[in-house]
């Protein structure tokens, strides 16, 4: 059973600051290479650009880099799309892909669920919307104690996985039926 502790309403900025990778210029990328470089158009998909292992090691050691479990956020285009950084060697486009570098009072599994429902205030731009760091930091969040955040985040993550698995069943059934019909005598 989930706890009944008091929840605090705070701003995300009360827990940390916005971090992003160091800027990578187009001439520093190639279409093949060692380390995937994700831009806003390839965020959460397959990369179409890469940086060298040497540059990756240098930049990772000198500049902000996500920790395993950090929730990366798209701040341009499809605002608020998220991925959980799994610890793989990859690099992300500065200012367009950011994360909240927070302290231990905020749990990533809870934060990930919060990002699914948050309504970002102050989106700017007429054609292409932009989520600025100040808007993220000023966003209100209601937060329970850390133990309860863990329980809620883990419960909702398991529920998301169960829902995703069940959504695949009808697709699989349709594929099997279509294949059966295509290979049956009814199609002749």
């Amino acid at each position: 059973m989930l706890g009944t502790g008091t929840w605090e309403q705070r701003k995300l900025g009360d827990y940390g600051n916005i971090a992003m990778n160091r800027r990578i210029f187009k001439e520093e990328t190639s279409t093949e290479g060692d380390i995937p470089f994700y831009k806003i158009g390839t965020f959460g998909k397959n990369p179409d650009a890469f940086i060298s292992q040497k540059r990756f090691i240098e930049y990772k050691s000198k500049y902000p880099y996500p920790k395993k479990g950090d929730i990366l956020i798209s701040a341009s285009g499809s605002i608020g799309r998220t991925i959980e950084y799994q610890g793989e060697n990859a690099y992300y486009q500065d200012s367009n892909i950011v994360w909240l570098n927070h302290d231990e009072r905020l749990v990533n599994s809870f934060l990930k669920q919060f990002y699914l429902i948050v309504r970002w205030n102050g989106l700017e731009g007429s054609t292409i919307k932009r989520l600025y760091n100040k808007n993220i930091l000023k966003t209100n969040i209601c937060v329970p104690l850390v133990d309860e955040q863990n329980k809620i985040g883990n419960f909702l993550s398991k529920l998301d996985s169960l829902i995703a698995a069940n959504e695949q069943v009808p697709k699989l059934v349709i594929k099997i039926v279509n294949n059966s019909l295509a290979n049956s005598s009814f199609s002749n």
Side-chain angles (χ1 to χ4, degrees):
M1 181 169 159
L2 297 177
T4 58
T6 304
W7 289 49
E8 290 185 325
Q9 182 168 341
R10 309 278 300 299
K11 303 228 181 279
L12 285 173
D14 293 337
Y15 295 98
N17 56 35
I18 298 299
M20 66 188 79
N21 286 152
R22 170 95 161 65
R23 178 162 295 214
I24 297 289
F25 295 98
K26 185 175 177 138
E27 58 271 9
E28 296 174 297
T29 67
S30 62
T31 56
E32 297 177 350
D34 305 316
I35 306 298
F37 175 59
Y38 293 95
K39 300 171 281 190
I40 201 64
T42 58
F43 180 58
K45 301 175 186 172
N46 293 320
D48 62 4
F50 298 84
I51 62 171
S52 71
Q53 179 82 20
K54 180 180 176 186
R55 176 158 284 121
F56 173 71
I57 291 168
E58 175 190 353
Y59 282 13
K60 185 178 177 186
S61 68
K62 290 182 179 179
Y63 304 106
Y65 193 79
K67 297 179 294 296
K68 186 175 181 178
D70 279 342
I71 310 302
L72 307 178
I73 310 166
S74 62
S76 180
S78 56
I79 301 294
R81 186 170 10 132
T82 62
I83 64 163
E84 181 177 344
Y85 177 66
Q86 299 293 325
E88 69 281 6
N89 287 342
Y91 215 73
Y92 302 91
Q93 186 178 23
D94 68 295
S95 80
N96 286 334
I97 301 169
V98 300
W99 66 94
L100 182 67
N101 186 23
H102 59 85
D103 60 31
E104 69 283 346
R105 296 175 298 154
L106 196 57
V107 175
N108 279 326
S109 62
F110 181 81
L111 186 61
K112 182 178 183 180
Q113 296 300 321
F114 171 74
Y115 286 157
L116 293 174
I117 61 167
V118 67
R119 292 190 190 261
W120 300 107
N121 291 321
L123 292 179
E124 299 180 22
S126 55
T127 305
I128 298 177
K129 296 291 184 199
R130 176 102 192 125
L131 181 60
Y132 288 97
N133 297 350
K134 66 181 180 185
N135 303 113
I136 296 171
L137 295 174
K138 289 179 180 178
T139 298
N140 289 324
I141 182 171
C142 288
V143 181
L145 297 173
V146 168
D147 184 51
E148 195 164 345
Q149 287 180 55
N150 277 313
K151 289 176 184 176
I152 292 168
N154 291 334
F155 175 79
L156 292 175
S157 291
K158 287 177 185 175
L159 185 60
D160 287 344
S161 296
L162 183 61
I163 290 168
N166 283 316
E167 287 174 346
Q168 293 305 311
V169 171
K171 292 177 186 174
L172 181 60
V173 169
I174 290 170
K175 185 176 181 180
I176 291 169
V177 169
N178 285 339
N179 285 341
S180 295
L181 289 174
N183 294 327
S184 74
S185 60
F186 293 119
S187 61
N188 294 333

